Amino acid sequence: MNKARVYTSNRIKKIRNRISEVDRQKIQNKMNLSIRLYDLMKARNINNTRLAELLNKNNSEVTRWLSGTHNFTTDSLTEIACALNIKLGDLFVSPSRVASRAQITLVTDNSACRVYYREENSKYNPYQFNIIERTHSIDERKITR
Amino acid sequence: MKYEIVNLQEYSGDGCTIYTIIWENDSESIYDKFIEENDSSFPDELNELDVRLEVIGKKGAREQWFKTKEGSPGDLVCALYDDDERNLRLYCIRFGSVAVIIGGGGPKPANIKTWQDDPKLSAEVRAMIRLSKHIFQRLKDGNLYWSQDGKELLGDLDMSDYE
């Protein structure tokens, strides 16, 4: 089983050394934002054409937004957030963190505490509710309260 | 050996293995040549490409970051996304989100609509199309194959039968 030879490039190293950390983060953040936007669109079954329609834009503009190269304005991000029915801040939160933010309902009796929570994504699509039930001991219930 | 597929250590990551090509008798890869040819005119764009390729290695080669269908149907030749504000175009062969072979490219004149309108870009795309056909034939013949996780090209990477 032969693997490709690992190649290190001095020219790439030279480029690496000259990029400032701020510039690096600017580019990384644009790409991360494009991932988040794409995933939010996909979760809502909204394709490029539909988002363009919702915002009265050309398809090519949505393609550019998703390319990871676009420098968004606050106004355009606000428009996108409204079209996707999310808060502006949700565009900057990693999917795993959003999934951990949940509505929690506690149902208690003398012996147990049942915890119901639904992940944030379910708020937008009632058919994808993710309800998890756990049974807690009475001691844990006290801590939770 | 007519050419060699090499793993670009600076870019390959958990999301995507990034390869480039070294032609026989060359000491540098075709991506190195792309850098050399464009560094004096477009250093900022090369900086941006560097970080973008690093992110692709970590997060995977998401289709949204590429201009697909740059080559012939089915050859997977594409370009890293660029818009009117950018001067450089970089061609590659994208195997889903898990592996990319970076090729060459060049400045994209503002007055052209397609790569066929520019001799330099035409030469680069045609080279990628030829390489893609050769690699696909090798995969078909079983001389090359994908690792179990689909992220790495394995097998006989000595491409001596390229014409």
Side-chain angles (χ1 to χ4, degrees):
Chain A
M1 182 177 70
N2 293 332
K3 286 185 172 191
R5 175 168 67 93
V6 173
Y7 176 78
T8 54
S9 161
N10 288 330
R11 293 190 191 278
I12 294 174
K13 280 181 186 164
K14 191 178 151 194
I15 290 175
R16 283 283 159 86
N17 290 335
R18 74 187 184 201
I19 304 175
S20 72
E21 186 53 33
V22 172
D23 284 344
R24 177 174 299 282
Q25 285 191 28
K26 283 179 187 173
I27 299 161
Q28 288 171 342
N29 286 338
K30 283 178 198 168
M31 295 191 81
N32 287 334
L33 183 55
S34 75
I35 292 175
R36 184 75 181 120
L37 175 57
Y38 179 88
D39 291 347
L40 285 164
M41 287 168 62
K42 199 172 178 188
R44 286 154 186 76
N45 289 323
I46 293 176
N47 61 17
N48 293 20
T49 306
R50 181 63 186 140
L51 187 61
E53 283 171 2
L54 287 169
L55 295 169
N56 199 24
K57 306 279 187 188
N58 291 326
N59 262 13
S60 59
E61 189 153 2
V62 177
T63 302
R64 189 164 68 244
W65 292 345
L66 293 169
S67 72
T69 63
H70 188 62
N71 199 7
F72 287 96
T73 63
T74 311
D75 284 352
S76 59
L77 285 176
T78 303
E79 289 174 17
I80 291 167
C82 286
L84 296 176
N85 194 22
I86 58 173
K87 294 171 192 163
L88 179 63
D90 291 340
L91 284 164
F92 300 96
V93 182
S94 75
S96 58
R97 288 191 63 187
V98 170
S100 68
R101 203 163 70 195
Q103 292 183 3
I104 298 174
T105 305
L106 300 177
V107 180
T108 62
D109 56 31
N110 287 334
S111 60
C113 169
R114 284 180 175 172
V115 179
Y116 298 90
Y117 77 90
R118 63 185 189 191
E119 291 181 355
E120 188 185 55
N121 286 351
S122 65
K123 186 171 75 176
Y124 307 113
N125 187 343
Y127 299 104
Q128 290 179 5
F129 278 4
N130 188 8
I131 300 171
I132 296 172
E133 179 180 340
R134 285 182 58 199
T135 303
H136 293 246
S137 72
I138 192 78
D139 291 340
E140 193 174 350
R141 184 191 66 181
K142 285 176 183 169
I143 293 166
T144 306
R145 277 177 166 173
Chain B
M1 180 185 71
K2 297 290 174 62
Y3 72 91
E4 182 185 7
I5 299 174
V6 291
N7 184 332
L8 262 176
Q9 192 180 36
E10 283 87 358
Y11 297 139
S12 289
D14 290 342
C16 179
T17 308
I18 300 191
Y19 299 98
T20 189
I21 302 289
I22 299 179
W23 293 109
E24 188 177 33
N25 300 326
D26 279 354
S27 57
E28 291 193 312
S29 72
I30 53 178
Y31 184 62
D32 283 318
K33 287 180 184 170
F34 172 78
I35 294 173
E36 184 186 14
E37 287 166 2
N38 298 291
D39 203 12
S40 57
S41 303
F42 308 109
D44 291 343
E45 289 195 34
L46 287 173
N47 291 355
E48 187 194 35
L49 282 173
D50 178 75
V51 180
R52 286 167 71 191
L53 288 167
E54 191 183 15
V55 173
I56 287 169
K58 286 178 184 165
K59 308 269 182 177
R62 299 172 72 110
E63 188 176 345
Q64 69 193 83
W65 293 335
F66 293 83
K67 284 188 166 182
T68 55
K69 301 169 189 169
E70 285 290 306
S72 309
D75 63 18
L76 306 183
V77 172
C78 57
L80 213 60
Y81 181 89
D82 56 63
D83 56 22
D84 295 342
E85 293 171 8
R86 286 170 175 76
N87 298 288
L88 283 182
R89 175 158 293 177
L90 177 64
Y91 292 103
C92 45
I93 305 169
R94 175 178 166 270
F95 298 93
S97 64
V98 292
V100 171
I101 299 176
I102 304 173
K108 177 191 58 174
N111 60 341
I112 66 162
K113 286 187 176 175
T114 65
W115 56 262
Q116 288 92 339
D117 299 332
D118 180 75
K120 167 69 172 161
L121 293 183
S122 295
E124 296 291 346
V125 177
R126 291 201 172 99
M128 291 307 281
I129 291 171
R130 282 195 70 206
L131 283 166
S132 173
K133 280 182 181 164
H134 185 245
I135 292 164
F136 270 96
Q137 188 59 50
R138 283 245 166 172
L139 286 164
K140 195 177 165 187
D141 294 343
N143 297 319
L144 281 180
Y145 53 95
W146 292 101
S147 61
Q148 210 159 18
D149 62 4
K151 287 183 179 174
E152 279 192 275
L153 270 174
L154 304 174
D156 183 8
L157 292 147
D158 181 352
M159 307 297 209
S160 55
D161 59 343
Y162 182 77
E163 291 174 1

